[in-house]
Amino acid sequence: MREEETVKQYDVPLREYRMLAATTEVDYPYFPFRISIDFVLVHNAAESRSKGKYREFFEKAVQKEGLIIRHQQSGQTHFTLISTPFHRLTREAEMSQMCFPLKDCQVKPGLPSCCIPLSQIFVTDDTVRFINAPFQRKHGSLFLNYHDEKSFFTSSQRGYLTYQILTKIDISKDLKGERLGESQDEPTDPSTSSITSDEQLRRKGLSWLLMSDVYEEAFVLHAPSKEEPYFKAMQNGSVKAYNEFISEIELDPRRSLSLNWERWYKFQPLNKIRDYFGEQIAYYFAWQGTFLTLLWPAVIFGLVVFIYGFIDSISSAPLDWNHCKVVNFIGQTENVACGMRNGVTLFFSMVTQWFMSSFDTKMNAFFAVFMSIWGSVFVQIWKRNNSVLSYQWNSDDFHAIEPDRPEFRGSKVKEDPITGEDIWISPALARYIKMLASFVFVSFSMLVVVISLMLVTLLKIWMVYNFQCTKEYTFHCWLSAAFLPSILNTLSAMGLGAIYSNLVSRLNSWENHRTESEHNNSLIVKIFAFQMVNTYTSLFYVAFIRPESHGLQPNGLFGLGTEFKDTCLDDTCSSLLALQLLTHTLIKPFPKFFKDVVLPYFVKLFRLRMYTSRTEARVEIEDDDQANVLVREWLKPSAGDFVLWEMNEKIILFGTTMMFASLFPLAPLLALIIGFVDMRIDAHRLIWFNRKPIPIITNGIGIWLPILTFLQYCAVFTNAFIVAFTSGFCSTFLADGAYCTVQNRLIIVIVFQNLVFGLKYLLSSVIPSIPASIKLALRKKRYVVAHIVEKGDVPHRTRIKKRTRIAKLAWIASNQKMIKSNRKKEKSNKKQLLAEVEEI
């Protein structure tokens, strides 16, 4: 379909159609300016008539809510463009008690604590902050930019408020009235009858329409950017067309985010991330930034421990060209003649032995104490950062009415104690039965993980005897007894995790949760519980089951005989645990990269092919469709449950770093590198590769915070038992190894735990969850809000007449201006002197 035909058929102004190539705004005859497109719905134009009825009812309800609808079609793909006027946004913001900055109430910027000149290079966020108050339309003139309808709301606020309006719309009564009004003599569409007659499914809004495939997609548009591939390709072609398109782009927030966010030496612009993507994604990146920042002390300490261990292992086992040793798979050594080996083999075997022996040293116990305390400090500092961000973003004051999930099915009618209306509920007994069934399923899945580990272990034992590793620990033995089982355990964990994720999603839907938050919290608990067992089982097996001194395999695995023993000596178990942890850490990012980048790329190609199959005369409209921002954004892959899966990966990495770093001091360094690279990849794909996620307002990381607290307590117990039973701490610090009995080792565990828990309690008391400055700011905010409610004006003493353009590091900027002006004066004075000299 050509451009002129599209304009003629759908009554879209030609200028507006061309504007959609570069901007996300459209013209309306009764608005003095162009209004933004806040939401887009997509469906196939060649669909059944019954679904068209649903769309008709829904769009009428949308217009009754005060929203504006436009349509555009490209081929068989139909786009419904929804724009929310300013007055409707303000009404929704007031009902939600959303906070906005008060003009003339600017907050003075804080000064950097150290490294003042370097802060100017690293800091990326120069957002000016003001005192915020819950929005009230009657006092609208008190708020910043209230009379500028295009800049009062951020793009994320517009998207979220529009999404909230759409999710609260219910067309069930309209569908029921339509059904009752039909003539009984007319034939009935079975699909319509089956849906409208389901009284247990009361609410029929946007979520229900998406679930029923009435609309295929629902998304918000990215802001237009000059850095898009389409505009870059246009720049190489027609300069005139390029200038016409680019002239319509007033702001370029994505380019600004990309320049600051994707650079490795820059701090994250959290306020800009929040303004563009919403609070939920901003809180995730704020948590990740706190995690990576606090990893630096652990990285430095871990490197010191590793270097000390490496030097100690060299000094304790120097390279001797006259005496050679043969090591078997359980760590026993035997002296042999050096003629059996050449010099290169001896050298590399000794280097490998030095490297693996450097993980279990005298400093591991101190590093275990440090990491256990580090976890508590991290959680406490994150609580402080969360309270600061909650105050700055006013996410604690936001109250959103969460509607029922469209999948929720009630079996009993009950009066709502708040509204007095009849609502459908699910009895508590049915919920408890389903929760019990879910617990059995999750427990069975964990048992499957343990069985897979045992199967890999039996395969390893068979390979050990096949290569005769009981006599000599050759390269083939190392490959079969150490490296290959680690690879198989990691691949098994990832495969079982992928299968479990698909099954648990269906199981969680079967539990019939009423709201989306309840559904997500239940899903998070199930996924984390399985992933924790799936990731840590092999590590716990190496740390506590394999050591020979523990005596847990007197007759081999499952009592199959002594030849099926899978044990290791105390001084080698730590090396095997470090190898297993290293394999887990290095291999897991590859499937994640495949899932986040490679697979979405093929999804995009598939969507493009599906779009092409719907379109007639593809050659004639190809250029126009590439220029259409709606088509470009629709073809991008969705980010999905971005925060859920990313937080799950990072929490597992956090637990691995805390619980097993005592025997692998390089774990914090690997976690830092992986997290740093992953953060930049996530930033790039959110800005340029994926569709823009629907902004969600939250007040933190939600249920992940108690999971973090649970992991830090698990880390204390794990590190205590590793120090006492797995590492060589007991035999090293006691006068004789004979004193390392089970009772003495348990005493080490008790002392370790009490020491760490005491330090944790002390640090949690010293580091308050809410900074004193935020407590003071909250008191001031309550005073200002109370004054506005009472007198309808901002307190006079709170106002700051002289505004600062740049909030953060404003005094540095002013100093720079003074320096630049002085330099200009000096240059002008020099020129004047030179001119006078020339005249003389």
Side-chain angles (χ1 to χ4, degrees):
M1 185 179 296
R2 294 181 179 275
E3 184 179 279
E4 292 81 2
E5 296 176 356
T6 304
V7 172
K8 182 177 180 181
Q9 181 174 353
Y10 295 100
D11 193 24
V12 180
L14 181 60
R15 178 172 175 269
E16 176 184 321
Y17 181 81
R18 288 176 175 171
M19 292 302 181
L20 282 174
T23 67
T24 57
E25 299 177 342
V26 291
D27 289 326
Y28 291 99
Y30 38 88
F31 279 94
F33 53 85
R34 310 185 71 220
I35 188 170
S36 64
I37 302 172
D38 299 314
F39 216 81
V40 179
L41 303 175
V42 185
H43 71 273
N44 188 359
E47 284 182 341
S48 62
R49 189 175 179 182
S50 61
K51 292 184 179 180
K53 276 286 186 182
Y54 300 149
R55 287 191 292 270
E56 180 181 349
F57 282 122
F58 181 74
E59 292 177 9
K60 287 182 179 179
V62 170
Q63 291 175 339
K64 288 181 181 178
E65 287 290 334
L67 279 63
I68 306 169
I69 294 179
R70 277 291 181 93
H71 298 277
Q72 184 178 336
Q73 184 167 335
S74 182
Q76 294 297 323
T77 304
H78 193 105
F79 298 96
T80 302
L81 315 180
I82 299 177
S83 301
T84 309
F86 179 76
H87 66 88
R88 184 62 182 88
L89 289 173
T90 56
R91 182 156 60 94
E92 189 68 24
E94 184 177 8
M95 288 189 295
S96 302
Q97 300 184 19
M98 185 179 289
C99 293
F100 291 89
L102 295 167
K103 63 182 180 181
D104 298 330
C105 292
Q106 181 180 331
V107 178
K108 293 182 180 180
L111 303 181
S113 58
C114 63
C115 304
I116 295 173
L118 293 178
S119 298
Q120 194 176 8
I121 301 174
F122 298 139
V123 172
T124 58
D125 212 339
D126 56 358
T127 307
V128 182
R129 292 197 298 108
F130 294 82
I131 296 177
N132 292 262
F135 179 75
Q136 296 179 359
R137 285 179 291 175
K138 63 180 179 180
H139 301 312
S141 59
L142 301 178
F143 293 89
L144 186 69
N145 297 327
Y146 176 74
H147 298 290
D148 187 359
E149 298 185 5
K150 299 188 69 175
S151 61
F152 182 72
F153 292 98
T154 63
S155 60
S156 64
Q157 290 172 343
R158 294 187 67 95
Y160 180 77
L161 290 174
T162 303
Y163 176 69
Q164 188 173 355
I165 295 171
L166 295 177
T167 52
K168 289 191 296 185
I169 292 176
D170 186 12
I171 61 171
S172 57
K173 294 181 180 179
D174 297 330
L175 291 175
K176 186 176 181 181
E178 175 72 13
R179 179 65 182 151
L180 293 176
E182 291 180 354
S183 174
Q184 297 181 356
D185 297 330
E186 294 181 359
T188 304
D189 190 349
S191 62
T192 306
S193 176
S194 62
I195 294 177
T196 57
S197 62
D198 189 0
E199 290 297 334
Q200 293 181 350
L201 198 61
R202 300 279 293 186
R203 178 175 292 276
K204 296 180 176 64
L206 177 61
S207 301
W208 177 82
L209 295 174
L210 292 171
M211 183 185 70
S212 305
D213 293 328
V214 177
Y215 289 105
E216 294 179 357
E217 307 280 353
F219 58 92
V220 293
L221 294 174
H222 269 298
S225 176
K226 301 175 184 178
E227 299 296 322
E228 289 182 357
Y230 171 74
F231 292 113
K232 287 186 175 180
M234 182 185 294
Q235 189 176 10
N236 299 328
S238 174
V239 179
K240 181 179 179 182
Y242 173 78
N243 292 332
E244 289 179 358
F245 280 113
I246 295 302
S247 62
E248 295 298 326
I249 299 178
E250 298 179 0
L251 301 174
D252 200 341
R254 280 200 289 167
R255 184 174 183 271
S256 176
L257 271 176
S258 179
L259 291 176
N260 295 323
W261 195 8
E262 295 186 54
R263 294 186 178 181
W264 62 271
Y265 61 89
K266 291 283 191 180
F267 294 157
Q268 293 189 100
L270 292 178
N271 287 326
K272 294 181 180 179
I273 297 172
R274 176 243 181 179
D275 290 342
Y276 190 75
F277 289 107
E279 280 77 2
Q280 187 183 56
I281 291 179
Y283 272 115
Y284 159 70
F285 282 105
W287 180 90
Q288 189 179 14
T290 305
F291 175 55
L292 297 180
T293 302
L294 292 181
L295 270 178
W296 280 105
V299 169
I300 296 173
F301 195 3
L303 286 174
V304 172
V305 172
F306 174 76
I307 294 172
Y308 169 80
F310 192 76
I311 296 174
D312 184 67
S313 61
I314 293 176
S315 61
S316 60
L319 185 62
D320 187 0
W321 299 100
N322 297 321
H323 298 85
C324 298
K325 294 181 179 180
V326 174
V327 184
N328 62 10
F329 81 108
I330 65 172
Q332 295 176 345
T333 60
E334 180 182 355
N335 293 327
V336 296
C338 286
M340 296 177 60
R341 299 166 178 256
N342 55 29
V344 176
T345 304
L346 177 62
F347 175 75
F348 280 106
S349 62
M350 289 302 299
V351 171
T352 304
Q353 182 181 353
W354 293 337
F355 181 79
M356 299 304 293
S357 300
S358 60
F359 295 128
D360 191 2
T361 65
K362 299 177 182 179
M363 296 185 65
N364 285 99
F366 303 100
F367 189 63
V369 173
F370 172 82
M371 290 304 299
S372 300
I373 297 174
W374 174 87
S376 179
V377 172
F378 166 73
V379 173
Q380 203 68 17
I381 290 181
W382 166 246
K383 290 179 180 179
R384 288 173 61 87
N385 292 346
N386 192 8
S387 63
V388 173
L389 294 176
S390 297
Y391 165 73
Q392 293 180 357
W393 297 343
N394 303 281
S395 53
D396 285 337
D397 297 330
F398 182 78
H399 300 281
I401 300 174
E402 191 173 12
D404 296 345
R405 298 177 64 245
E407 297 90 345
F408 173 75
R409 290 177 176 269
S411 58
K412 184 178 179 181
V413 178
K414 182 181 178 181
E415 182 180 352
D416 191 339
I418 299 176
T419 62
E421 298 180 355
D422 291 337
I423 58 174
W424 287 93
I425 63 170
S426 179
L429 180 61
R431 295 201 309 271
Y432 294 150
I433 293 175
K434 291 182 178 180
M435 290 172 63
L436 179 61
S438 299
F439 175 78
V440 172
F441 174 79
V442 175
S443 302
F444 176 76
S445 302
M446 294 178 181
L447 181 62
V448 172
V449 172
V450 178
I451 293 174
S452 68
L453 174 64
M454 292 296 104
L455 292 176
V456 172
T457 303
L458 292 175
L459 176 63
K460 179 188 69 174
I461 295 175
W462 177 83
M463 296 181 71
V464 165
Y465 281 94
N466 186 42
F467 289 105
Q468 297 183 352
C469 299
T470 54
K471 298 180 180 179
E472 184 178 356
Y473 198 63
T474 61
F475 174 77
H476 293 287
C477 293
W478 174 80
L479 188 66
S480 59
F483 183 73
L484 185 59
S486 299
I487 296 291
L488 291 177
N489 283 329
T490 304
L491 295 178
S492 173
M494 292 186 298
L496 292 175
I499 297 173
Y500 176 83
S501 299
N502 294 328
L503 294 178
V504 79
S505 298
R506 299 180 181 180
L507 178 67
N508 203 61
S509 299
W510 174 73
E511 289 182 2
N512 195 27
H513 296 281
R514 188 178 197 93
T515 61
E516 197 67 30
S517 61
E518 295 175 358
H519 175 83
N520 290 336
N521 289 339
S522 177
L523 182 63
I524 287 172
V525 171
K526 292 183 180 65
I527 290 176
F528 171 76
F530 177 82
Q531 291 293 348
M532 181 179 175
V533 175
N534 196 20
T535 304
Y536 302 150
T537 299
S538 59
L539 300 175
F540 276 102
Y541 173 78
V542 176
F544 303 114
I545 306 298
R546 288 195 63 184
E548 178 74 22
S549 60
H550 293 181
L552 298 178
Q553 301 182 39
N555 296 318
L557 288 175
F558 307 110
L560 296 176
T562 56
E563 64 273 12
F564 287 95
K565 272 189 175 183
D566 183 40
T567 58
C568 56
L569 299 181
D570 290 343
D571 54 350
T572 59
C573 289
S574 57
S575 301
L576 295 175
L577 177 63
L579 179 63
Q580 180 69 40
L581 186 59
L582 179 65
T583 307
H584 266 291
T585 309
L586 293 180
I587 293 180
K588 288 196 72 175
F590 290 99
K592 183 179 183 302
F593 178 79
F594 176 81
K595 185 188 72 173
D596 294 342
V597 179
V598 179
L599 186 60
Y601 175 76
F602 287 102
V603 170
K604 183 178 180 180
L605 294 180
F606 173 76
R607 294 172 64 86
L608 178 61
R609 184 174 181 179
M610 182 178 64
Y611 170 75
T612 306
S613 63
R614 291 181 181 179
T615 306
E616 300 176 358
R618 177 66 187 168
V619 178
E620 297 181 359
I621 67 167
E622 184 174 2
D623 294 336
D624 292 338
D625 288 338
Q626 287 182 359
N628 194 332
V629 65
L630 300 174
V631 176
R632 290 201 309 269
E633 293 297 318
W634 177 67
L635 291 176
K636 291 180 179 179
S638 173
D641 294 328
F642 174 82
V643 174
L644 188 152
W645 295 108
E646 291 297 328
M647 279 297 298
N648 183 69
E649 291 288 339
K650 302 307 180 298
I651 294 292
I652 293 294
L653 182 63
F654 167 80
T656 304
T657 305
M658 282 188 57
M659 289 193 287
F660 301 100
S662 57
L663 286 181
F664 186 54
L666 296 181
L669 177 62
L670 293 178
L672 179 66
I673 295 173
I674 292 172
F676 189 81
V677 174
D678 186 71
M679 182 173 65
R680 305 303 172 181
I681 293 176
D682 288 340
H684 180 79
R685 69 188 184 96
L686 280 179
I687 296 174
W688 304 113
F689 188 71
N690 292 109
R691 288 185 203 154
K692 182 179 180 180
I694 296 176
I696 301 296
I697 296 180
T698 58
N699 60 354
I701 58 175
I703 198 173
W704 293 110
L705 185 58
I707 291 176
L708 281 175
T709 306
F710 168 75
L711 278 179
Q712 67 167 326
Y713 284 103
C714 289
V716 176
F717 293 103
T718 303
N719 285 321
F721 279 94
I722 286 178
V723 169
F725 287 91
T726 305
S727 70
F729 175 81
C730 181
S731 58
T732 301
F733 284 89
L734 292 181
D736 189 354
Y739 289 98
C740 291
T741 60
V742 176
Q743 291 81 2
N744 291 337
R745 292 177 187 269
L746 289 176
I747 291 175
I748 295 175
V749 170
I750 295 172
V751 172
F752 183 95
Q753 291 178 357
N754 291 335
L755 174 64
V756 172
F757 281 130
L759 292 174
K760 279 177 173 286
Y761 177 78
L762 179 63
L763 288 173
S764 62
S765 302
V766 173
I767 306 174
S769 300
I770 302 177
S773 59
I774 297 300
K775 293 181 180 178
L776 181 62
L778 289 173
R779 289 177 55 191
K780 186 175 182 179
K781 177 182 175 180
R782 287 193 290 266
Y783 165 72
V784 172
V785 172
H787 194 278
I788 291 175
V789 173
E790 181 181 359
K791 300 183 178 180
D793 194 7
V794 178
H796 180 71
R797 293 183 178 181
T798 308
R799 297 182 182 180
I800 299 177
K801 296 181 180 179
K802 185 178 180 181
R803 300 184 181 181
T804 307
R805 294 184 179 180
I806 302 177
K808 289 187 176 181
L809 307 177
W811 58 281
I812 293 179
S814 62
N815 290 337
Q816 281 188 341
K817 290 180 180 179
M818 293 177 61
I819 292 172
K820 289 181 180 179
S821 61
N822 292 333
R823 287 178 180 176
K824 289 181 180 179
K825 290 180 180 179
E826 290 178 359
K827 289 182 180 179
S828 62
N829 293 333
K830 288 181 180 179
K831 290 181 180 179
Q832 291 179 0
L833 291 174
L834 290 174
E836 292 176 357
V837 170
E838 290 178 355
E839 290 179 359
I840 294 173

